[in-house]
Amino acid sequence: MNVKTASLTDLTDAQLTSLVLSMGEPEYRVKQLRNQIYRGLAFSFEEMTDLPLALRQALEKVTPLHSLKATHQVVGQDGTIKTLFTLVDGNTVESALMGYPQASGRQRNTVCISTQAGCAIGCPFCATGQQGFKRNLTRGEIIDQVLYFANYLKNQNHTAQEITDKTASTLSNIVFMGMGEPMSNYDALWPAIETLNSPDGFRMGARNITISTSGLVPQIKRLSSEKLQVGLAVSLHAADNALRDKLVPINRKYPLEELIPACKEYYRATGRRVSFEYVLFKGINDSLPRARALAQLLRGLACHVNLIPANNTGDRTYQPPSPQTILAFERELKLNHINATLRQPRGQDIDAGCGQLRSRFVSETGSRKKTLNKV
Ligand code: SAH
Ligand code: SF4
């Protein structure tokens, strides 16, 4: 690996150690360095004042600290922050930070992270899918999105109470629901997750990390056998193969007869309920018979269904149903004993050109004015 072209966060533990040792430094410097990156959230070598100047200068010569450049930032009416990052090769990806006030008065901050520039799956309702596939992100590019928002939160003005609570000032959840199919980039995604979870890394609990997938069965099986038990969300959107083949084209390769048993296996292996995302499209998958078919498909599977009204990406075919239709669908699922929650997309007003950076978790909107800033 040519360290000159990578960022420091791209390096494996072994690579980082050999780099530091090759600079004539003792091994404990590696720990200090990791501490600065993942706990101190340093964004320049200059800030790492506990490291010798000579080491900082030597590191700066061989590798940048981070790989991403935040080039634009938009704040939605509900406070969702969406950031556009430019990669070293000029490709761009977007990620979002969503704050959720809790009943306790505390706040939960979730980041929605991209794993690929573009996506090869090609779901027809998805803006990213329509852009086609550009490339996989590296582990460093995945990690750096998280560190960017963690650093952003840390540098906001917080009250003394918020700092003590470590709520508004820190990240509480990471969801891989941004651009791209995370499971198609498993080899970069998994080391990134390990670093984000590691006690020597960012220390995000596995319970607070969720991977969303269009349904790549071999990778779901691989996930089931991992020691680290992260959450699984499956983008279902249809309960029969004929419709799902059209909405989520990977279904032609891994149909429901394979997908649902893989989800059951994941539950057996991890004890974690699977989340199913069901985006409601007007006149396409929103009827009561379809709600009953969904309940039938999921019967006996420990799961939770998130119902999400389609976000309009400009394609007239894929519109959200009326509020009455949405509520009737939800009611029908519940009558059929399925745990379901209606989620309002977050950052809806700033979604244009992205198509998916939105929450799957709460349903409320705020009133902050939309702004567009170059950062
Ligand atoms: N590729 C993965 C993760 C990224 S997409 C996946 O498909 O699960 C994250 C979520 O956004 C998926 O559930 C996807 O179906 C949804 N999504 C994409 N376009 C959307 C739209 N126009 N309206 C509502 N949800 C959308
Ligand atoms: Fe890819 Fe997910 Fe969009 Fe489908 S919904 S095209 S899998 S990013």
Side-chain angles (χ1 to χ4, degrees):
M1 167 173 203
N2 178 6
V3 290
K4 279 205 170 71
T5 57
S7 70
L8 216 60
T9 47
D10 261 322
L11 303 182
T12 62
D13 283 354
Q15 286 168 330
L16 187 62
T17 305
S18 72
L19 179 65
V20 171
L21 295 183
S22 74
M23 291 171 167
E25 292 288 339
E27 199 165 342
Y28 70 84
R29 295 284 182 217
V30 179
K31 204 173 161 90
Q32 277 180 299
L33 193 52
R34 288 174 67 95
N35 205 38
Q36 280 288 359
I37 299 171
Y38 298 107
R39 305 299 301 159
L41 304 172
F43 260 66
S44 69
F45 289 111
E46 211 183 323
E47 291 166 57
M48 305 181 177
T49 45
D50 58 336
L51 291 170
L53 184 62
L55 173 61
R56 286 185 271 149
Q57 287 172 338
L59 285 169
E60 188 134 37
K61 274 194 199 127
V62 290
T63 169
L65 182 49
H66 295 115
S67 52
L68 301 177
K69 211 164 152 222
T71 38
H72 281 93
Q73 194 143 292
V74 195
V75 182
Q77 288 187 341
D78 61 8
T80 297
I81 297 166
K82 190 170 79 166
T83 303
L84 182 82
F85 295 102
T86 302
L87 312 178
V88 277
D89 59 0
N91 277 309
T92 53
V93 292
E94 287 170 328
S95 335
L97 172 66
M98 296 156 297
Y100 302 102
Q102 303 292 288
S104 62
R106 295 177 162 214
Q107 168 145 333
R108 208 178 72 202
N109 293 305
T110 297
V111 274
C112 180
I113 300 298
S114 294
T115 52
Q116 298 183 310
C119 182
I121 307 291
C123 306
F125 54 85
C126 170
T128 306
Q130 294 314 297
Q131 287 167 23
F133 176 68
K134 309 279 184 347
R135 72 163 169 88
N136 279 330
L137 300 194
T138 65
R139 62 184 258 153
E141 288 166 339
I142 295 171
I143 291 170
D144 286 352
Q145 295 170 62
V146 177
L147 296 182
Y148 173 85
F149 284 112
N151 180 275
Y152 176 90
L153 280 175
K154 183 184 134 194
N155 291 324
Q156 296 297 97
N157 286 329
H158 297 291
T159 62
Q161 191 57 48
E162 284 172 349
I163 293 167
T164 313
D165 285 354
K166 285 202 166 102
T167 52
S169 61
T170 52
L171 278 182
S172 32
N173 294 76
I174 300 173
V175 297
F176 293 97
M177 288 186 184
M179 301 170 95
E181 170 49 58
M183 295 294 210
S184 295
N185 189 15
Y186 203 104
D187 291 343
L189 173 70
W190 197 253
I193 287 178
E194 285 180 326
T195 299
L196 290 169
N197 169 262
S198 164
D200 293 333
F202 187 67
R203 299 191 197 166
M204 174 63 71
R207 297 218 141 256
N208 301 328
I209 299 175
T210 301
I211 300 175
S212 175
T213 179
S214 55
L216 273 69
V217 168
Q219 284 89 328
I220 293 174
K221 291 183 176 164
R222 192 168 159 192
L223 185 69
S224 307
S225 65
E226 298 284 2
K227 264 223 298 287
L228 210 60
Q229 298 184 339
V230 305
L232 173 67
V234 174
S235 298
L236 200 56
H237 313 333
D240 66 273
N241 283 324
L243 180 57
R244 196 163 190 272
D245 279 352
K246 292 193 192 115
L247 291 177
V248 190
I250 196 74
N251 194 70
R252 294 174 206 155
K253 192 161 179 197
Y254 303 116
L256 292 166
E257 312 79 85
E258 291 180 34
L259 178 59
I260 298 300
C263 293
K264 287 187 176 158
E265 186 184 320
Y266 166 86
Y267 176 71
R268 260 197 310 276
T270 65
R272 297 196 62 167
R273 275 193 317 178
V274 180
S275 292
F276 288 102
E277 313 292 293
Y278 193 98
V279 175
L280 286 158
F281 302 106
K282 183 179 176 181
I284 295 178
N285 64 353
D286 59 350
S287 68
L288 295 185
R290 289 211 181 267
R292 288 190 285 273
L294 178 59
Q296 174 73 34
L297 180 75
L298 301 181
R299 192 149 295 150
L301 172 51
C303 66
H304 188 96
V305 175
N306 289 322
L307 294 173
I308 306 133
N311 189 56
N312 195 341
T313 58
D315 185 331
R316 292 182 59 86
T317 319
Y318 301 100
Q319 298 289 323
S322 68
Q324 294 89 317
T325 306
I326 294 171
L327 290 175
F329 194 96
E330 183 192 14
R331 201 176 320 116
E332 193 66 18
L333 279 186
K334 288 184 170 161
L335 281 174
N336 285 276
H337 315 292
I338 296 292
N339 293 314
T341 313
L342 182 57
R343 312 285 186 191
Q344 284 303 331
R346 289 283 301 252
Q348 209 162 11
D349 54 326
I350 53 171
D351 251 342
C354 169
Q356 65 203 352
L357 291 178
R358 65 179 52 84
S359 154
R360 301 290 178 263
F361 302 109
V362 289
S363 52
E364 98 282 346
T365 47
S367 60
R368 200 128 44 97
K369 224 184 154 329
K370 174 178 168 178
T371 53
L372 174 64
N373 300 320
K374 245 185 174 286
V375 290

